[in-house]
Amino acid sequence: MSFAQKKTNVVPAAEERRRFQRVKVHLLGRYMLPDRREFPCQIINMSPGGLALLAPGIGNVGDRVIAYLDHIGRVEGRITRIIDNGFAMTIGATARKRDKLAAQLTWLANRDILNLPEDRRHDRIVPRNPIALLTQEDGTRMTCRIIDLSLSGAAIAAENRPPLKSLVMLGRVQARVVRNLEEGFALEFVHEQSAETLEESVTAR
């Protein structure tokens, strides 16, 4: 990563507030502080002009931050305020880049609201038997409810959420926790599943 200064036509913050509204998103990524320390993070809301994230390493107001976010790519800006377990930051970008971010955020927000699949090649279904057994990395087992699933992943309703990026077993299918949902979490299967055996595999006890 480089902190080289670049001249861009940055939209003023007041104009950004008028043009864009922050949306709730669940994105993972990594960021770097000025001292070159890198940390994982989770974005909780974002607009084309700024974002708020949960993070283990918190800098100071005014610090320059470079972040790489899933589905979004590289963004950079400065810390504007410290929040519980994280911070908020601006996004320095040209008007064209902000328009692109606005389109990406609209898609991400609609995907969460409508339960659109991560991979649009795979339709989501509601299984006939939605109750499944989920085994976490430490061997802990819990009963959960499958909201919907596709050949590449599933949305799970459960009171307890496994850690993000952890590996779990949904029935006999190995999966990774990719994001938190309002009533549970989303899984991405390590290997794409077969339509013929999908329901039997994930609801296996």
Side-chain angles (χ1 to χ4, degrees):
M1 297 186 187
S2 171
F3 281 97
Q5 295 288 340
K6 295 181 181 179
K7 292 184 179 179
T8 56
N9 297 320
V10 176
V11 179
E15 184 178 345
E16 184 274 324
R17 283 194 294 271
R18 288 194 300 269
R19 291 179 60 193
F20 301 118
Q21 181 179 0
R22 290 207 178 189
V23 295
K24 291 183 178 180
V25 291
H26 301 279
L27 298 175
L28 300 179
R30 295 188 65 81
Y31 67 97
M32 185 173 72
L33 296 174
D35 60 9
R36 306 193 72 80
R37 288 182 300 159
E38 291 190 34
F39 301 96
C41 62
Q42 179 182 347
I43 311 306
I44 54 177
N45 64 63
M46 185 174 180
S47 81
L51 59 86
L53 55 82
L54 302 179
I58 300 174
N60 300 310
V61 171
D63 279 356
R64 183 97 173 275
V65 179
I66 294 177
Y68 289 86
L69 311 178
D70 290 353
H71 303 292
I72 296 292
R74 184 183 190 274
V75 297
E76 60 180 278
R78 295 187 181 277
I79 297 176
T80 55
R81 69 182 187 279
I82 307 301
I83 61 175
D84 288 342
N85 300 314
F87 58 86
M89 62 176 279
T90 59
I91 296 176
T94 62
R96 181 178 178 182
K97 171 70 171 177
R98 290 187 189 222
D99 287 341
K100 180 181 178 182
L101 282 173
Q104 290 174 303
L105 290 171
T106 298
W107 183 83
L108 288 167
N110 288 339
R111 182 197 65 183
D112 281 350
I113 292 170
L114 301 175
N115 254 341
L116 294 176
E118 294 281 345
D119 184 343
R120 292 184 177 228
R121 294 173 302 172
H122 300 146
D123 292 333
R124 295 227 162 191
I125 62 170
V126 177
R128 291 184 295 273
N129 172 22
I131 305 303
L133 187 65
L134 185 133
T135 306
Q136 301 185 61
E137 281 185 326
D138 62 1
T140 302
R141 295 185 175 188
M142 67 177 183
T143 301
C144 61
R145 178 172 62 85
I146 300 173
I147 301 171
D148 58 38
L149 74 160
S150 75
L151 302 183
S152 57
I156 304 297
E159 293 184 4
N160 299 319
R161 296 184 177 95
L164 290 171
K165 297 188 177 182
S166 63
L167 287 172
V168 299
M169 294 292 293
L170 182 64
R172 295 194 299 263
V173 179
Q174 188 177 41
R176 187 178 301 278
V177 181
V178 291
R179 74 179 187 275
N180 289 325
L181 305 174
E182 185 173 347
E183 57 179 322
F185 50 93
L187 297 177
E188 181 180 1
F189 298 146
V190 173
H191 302 291
E192 186 174 312
Q193 299 299 299
S194 165
E196 289 75 20
T197 59
L198 175 62
E199 289 194 47
E200 178 185 352
S201 296
V202 297
T203 57
R205 301 222 170 185

